[in-house]
């Protein structure tokens, strides 16, 4: 019983830590930087976490159940998709022009509906890239298939909680900046967009140059 509780606690903590991976934080920051509401930002973090966790559970659970190991080139390709998505998010931030504060109350429902799909999609892409690594790490530590899948569920819950916390920590000062000056809010959004583009390009370069994505002998290790 103690071992089960320990594994569950560890899975939740690792899920919390997983939410703070650099590519996750950069992606969510690029989305949250457009928001002027702390609670909408937390909702974005939760949606990202749900998209990520459901994908990890579905894909990672299948890999655990079948004991299938994704080939290095496919794993690298999934991570390359994350790099491209970060670049696209960054450019979207640079082009985005948020509505004025006078129209916030009228535009809020439409923005909430329109923003729901984006964090889900972004979380799903990250979940696809992370499924291979998570499943390998789980298989190395938990022999039971049911135990491994239960671990993935708890890990996913930790990821959702962690991403909500990350978005809240980012959105609170951003909201304060918006109250002080709309120009400062615009600067935060542009900085988040530039960071997303730069990180995406660096990640793509690492996967191609060091991972050998386009070479005959690609190398990949779970992170």
């Amino acid at each position: 019983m103690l071992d089960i509780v320990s594994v569950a606690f560890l899975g939740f903590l690792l899920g919390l830590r997983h939410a703070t991976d650099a590519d996750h934080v950069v992606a969510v920051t690029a989305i949250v930087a457009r928001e002027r509401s702390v609670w909408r930002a937390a909702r974005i973090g939760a949606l990202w976490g749900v998209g990520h966790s459901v994908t990890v559970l579905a894909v990672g659970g299948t890999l655990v159940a079948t004991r299938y190991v994704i080939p290095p080139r496919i794993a690298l390709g999934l991570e390359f998709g994350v790099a491209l998505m970060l670049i696209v998010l960054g450019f979207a931030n640079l082009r985005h022009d948020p509505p004025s504060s006078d129209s916030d109350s009228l535009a809020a429902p439409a923005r909430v509906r329109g923003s729901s799909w984006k964090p889900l999609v972004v979380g799903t892409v990250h979940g696809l890239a992370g499924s291979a690594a998570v499943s390998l790490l789980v298989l190395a530590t938990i022999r039971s298939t049911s135990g491994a899948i239960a671990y993935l569920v708890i890990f996913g819950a930790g990821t959702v909680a962690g991403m909500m916390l990350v978005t809240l920590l980012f959105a609170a000062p951003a909201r304060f900046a918006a109250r002080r000056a709309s120009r400062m809010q615009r600067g935060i959004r542009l900085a988040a967009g530039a960071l997303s583009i730069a990180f995406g390009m660096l990640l793509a370069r690492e996967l191609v140059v060091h991972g050998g994505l386009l070479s005959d002998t690609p190398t990949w290790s779970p992170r």
Side-chain angles (χ1 to χ4, degrees):
M1 180 64 180
L2 183 60
D3 289 341
I4 295 175
V5 173
S6 299
V7 170
F9 184 67
L10 178 62
F12 189 81
L13 287 182
L14 290 177
L16 286 173
R17 193 213 64 79
H18 185 68
T20 63
D21 283 356
D23 56 331
H24 299 166
V25 174
V26 169
V28 173
T29 298
I31 302 175
V32 173
R34 309 173 192 178
E35 294 294 338
R36 298 188 179 186
S37 165
V38 172
W39 299 116
R40 280 203 299 269
R43 181 175 179 273
I44 285 173
L47 288 171
W48 184 98
V50 168
H52 180 280
S53 299
V54 169
T55 306
V56 167
L57 180 60
V59 179
T62 301
L63 295 176
V64 166
T66 60
R67 296 299 196 266
Y68 178 75
V69 177
I70 291 182
R73 193 181 304 280
I74 294 179
L76 289 170
L78 292 174
E79 292 192 15
F80 191 79
V82 169
L84 293 179
M85 183 193 62
L86 289 172
I87 295 172
V88 171
L89 281 176
F91 278 114
N93 257 31
L94 298 183
R95 295 180 57 189
H96 179 75
D97 187 19
S100 64
S101 57
D102 295 336
S103 62
D104 277 353
S105 59
L106 295 176
R111 287 208 310 275
V112 169
R113 287 194 299 268
S115 63
S116 296
W117 64 269
K118 190 167 296 182
L120 276 173
V121 171
V122 174
T124 299
V125 173
H126 278 278
L128 283 172
S131 296
V134 172
S135 62
L136 276 179
L137 294 175
V138 171
L139 282 173
T141 55
I142 303 177
R143 299 294 179 87
S144 166
T145 299
S146 59
I149 293 176
Y151 177 90
L152 290 177
V153 172
I154 298 170
F155 179 87
T159 302
V160 173
M163 190 50 69
M164 287 185 67
L165 181 60
V166 167
T167 51
L168 279 173
L169 290 175
F170 177 82
R175 175 60 175 163
F176 176 75
R179 289 178 177 176
R180 294 291 298 273
S182 59
R183 185 175 300 177
M184 189 179 296
Q185 173 72 15
R186 182 173 182 271
I188 292 174
R189 175 176 53 81
L190 294 177
L195 176 63
S196 186
I197 293 172
F199 192 89
M201 293 178 69
L202 287 173
L203 179 58
R205 181 183 181 278
E206 179 184 351
L207 294 170
V208 172
V209 175
H210 299 292
L213 174 60
L214 304 179
S215 70
D216 294 332
T217 56
T219 57
W220 173 83
S221 58
R223 293 182 294 173

